[in-house]
Amino acid sequence: MLRCCPGALVLCLVAVSLPAAEGDLADALARIRAVQPRGVGHREAAAAARVVAAARASALPQILAAMDGAGPIAENWLRGAAEAVAQRGGKQLPVAGLEAFLADTKHSPRGRRLAYELIAAVDPTAESRLIPTLLDDPSLELRRDAVAQVLAAAGKAEGKEAAPLYAKAFAHSRDLDQIKLAFDKLKELGTPPDIARHMGYVRQWRLIGPFDNVEDAGWDKAYPPETAIDLAAELSGQKGRVKWISHASTDDYGLVELTKALDKHKGAVTYAYAEFVAEREQPCELRLSSPNANKVWLNGELLSANHVYHANDPLDQYIARGKLRKGPNAILVKVCQNEQEEDWAQRWEFKLRVCDTIGTAILGKGSGFGVQGSGG
């Protein structure tokens, strides 16, 4: 059995790799893909990795293709084996085959990233030739490199020449630091883009509350909005009758401050509802940030429940995966506040965006009070 730490995998494979003829490459790749957590299949994967590491350099696209749909453990084994093959191949790598693999966006993002790294290791023109073509790439790493090139060019440009470059970088960026950099530069130049729209934040909501959450009693209690949405209803709340009100966030990142929209209630629950009209059926991610306990539903299905009070609330803190149907979709968020009196415990707020798996905003048509999210 091969025994080495993951960081030394390539060296181990190079040192003890067996002749490729002693095993079938396709079978070895399948055994690596079958590896599971807790050591399941690791002995078989170790033996298979030695076989794969002994393959010819021409087999690199086949090895990288095995990363498609593989789990993270298998991906690591396959990456180590591919690097061992490339190390033995030196400068004699199948660049044309690797470029074809890179160009096929159906392949694994990690596999395509490694294909680019292998190309760049033997071709000094790779960065200037290939990276500019990857601005719309579904691989966040490759897209990031392409956006970084445009941002660098914008930084060197002067005056009005910089604006279109920053706008180009902004339109294609998906990482928050790059989005903010391009946004801030465009704001300085007098042409700030709609960052909330670019990121897909829902800004138009209907709110109702407060309902009782003293001693956390409201977390498990299903108040009427959880069973049916009736925007004309007047319900019994924590301090009397409550009804739905319209609320539009003007924050760059779609922040809904419930303490401003409803008041500074403690031990309270509120519900936020938006109708998202999708152009087609498709998978989606509802990405929520909130310092408060929360639940998220899509079309009546509970996608996410986070029973945590006064946590940090970074971008995309909670990611709920679901499926949009063509036409109207109901998004419901429950936000719970407890009774803590410390200054840091007074925030009662949330922000939510609708996007795909790499953070590209999904376009939603307007529907009265509905969301107007779209991607750039």
Side-chain angles (χ1 to χ4, degrees), residues 39-369:
V40 177
H42 280 222
R43 182 184 297 274
E44 294 80 2
R50 295 197 294 272
V51 174
V52 176
R56 296 180 182 275
S58 59
L60 277 169
Q62 181 183 356
I63 297 170
L64 296 180
M67 296 174 75
D68 296 350
I73 299 175
E75 278 190 332
N76 287 339
W77 280 101
L78 291 165
R79 180 183 179 94
E83 289 176 339
V85 171
Q87 185 172 328
R88 287 191 300 102
K91 298 289 185 180
Q92 304 303 312
L93 299 186
V95 172
L98 291 170
E99 287 197 19
F101 183 90
L102 172 65
D104 187 349
T105 59
K106 294 180 181 178
H107 286 305
S108 156
R110 286 192 68 187
R112 293 179 60 242
R113 175 67 188 187
L114 180 54
Y116 168 74
E117 291 174 0
L118 295 176
I119 297 166
V122 298
D123 181 358
T125 72
E127 184 175 3
S128 59
R129 285 191 307 107
L130 299 176
I131 292 299
T133 70
L134 303 173
L135 276 168
D136 283 317
D137 204 87
S139 164
L140 279 174
E141 288 187 64
L142 294 171
R143 180 188 287 257
R144 181 179 179 85
D145 286 350
V147 171
Q149 279 193 354
V150 179
L151 287 171
K156 295 176 182 178
E158 296 181 359
K160 294 182 179 180
E161 294 180 359
L165 291 171
Y166 281 121
K168 182 178 181 180
F170 179 83
H172 295 284
S173 57
R174 296 296 178 266
D175 289 324
L176 182 61
D177 62 328
Q178 291 184 328
I179 292 172
K180 291 182 69 174
L181 174 58
F183 172 77
D184 289 343
K185 292 295 185 180
L186 288 168
K187 192 173 182 178
E188 290 176 10
L189 293 168
T191 56
D194 188 341
I195 194 169
R197 180 179 176 85
H198 173 72
M199 298 183 72
Y201 278 107
V202 180
R203 289 176 285 183
Q204 302 288 337
W205 294 92
R206 289 289 183 92
L207 307 175
I208 192 168
F211 297 94
D212 183 56
N213 190 41
V214 172
E215 297 184 355
D216 203 32
W219 172 256
D220 288 321
K221 184 169 182 177
Y223 290 106
E226 294 185 31
T227 55
I229 300 296
D230 179 0
L231 296 178
E234 189 173 299
L235 305 173
S236 177
Q238 185 183 46
K239 299 180 180 180
R241 306 295 288 177
V242 294
K243 57 184 180 181
W244 292 94
I245 63 170
S246 296
H247 179 76
S249 171
T250 58
D251 182 73
D252 283 342
Y253 299 92
L255 181 67
V256 177
E257 296 181 84
L258 298 172
T259 54
K260 293 182 179 179
L262 297 176
D263 208 348
K264 296 181 180 180
H265 299 289
K266 301 298 293 181
V269 169
T270 196
Y271 291 90
Y273 171 76
E275 187 175 85
F276 186 100
V277 182
E279 293 185 342
R280 61 184 176 87
E281 180 180 295
Q282 65 183 108
C284 72
E285 292 186 352
L286 303 185
R287 300 188 178 189
L288 178 81
S289 297
S290 176
N292 311 105
N294 60 80
K295 295 182 181 181
V296 178
W297 290 262
L298 177 62
N299 296 324
E301 179 184 0
L302 179 64
L303 299 185
S304 179
N306 307 289
H307 198 185
V308 180
Y309 287 99
H310 309 303
N312 292 327
D313 54 340
L315 176 72
D316 301 338
Q317 177 184 11
Y318 303 112
I319 298 178
R321 296 177 175 87
K323 179 177 284 187
L324 292 169
R325 56 196 181 200
K326 183 178 180 179
N329 293 265
I331 299 174
L332 182 69
V333 182
K334 181 178 187 176
V335 189
C336 302
Q337 175 68 299
N338 66 9
E339 299 102 300
Q340 287 180 248
E341 297 294 339
E342 295 90 345
D343 289 343
W344 49 263
Q346 302 314 299
R347 294 167 59 211
W348 189 27
E349 60 195 34
F350 76 96
K351 51 190 174 185
L352 179 142
R353 66 184 183 126
V354 184
C355 56
D356 66 11
T357 56
I358 68 166
T360 302
I362 296 175
L363 176 66
K365 294 181 179 179
S367 57
F369 65 89

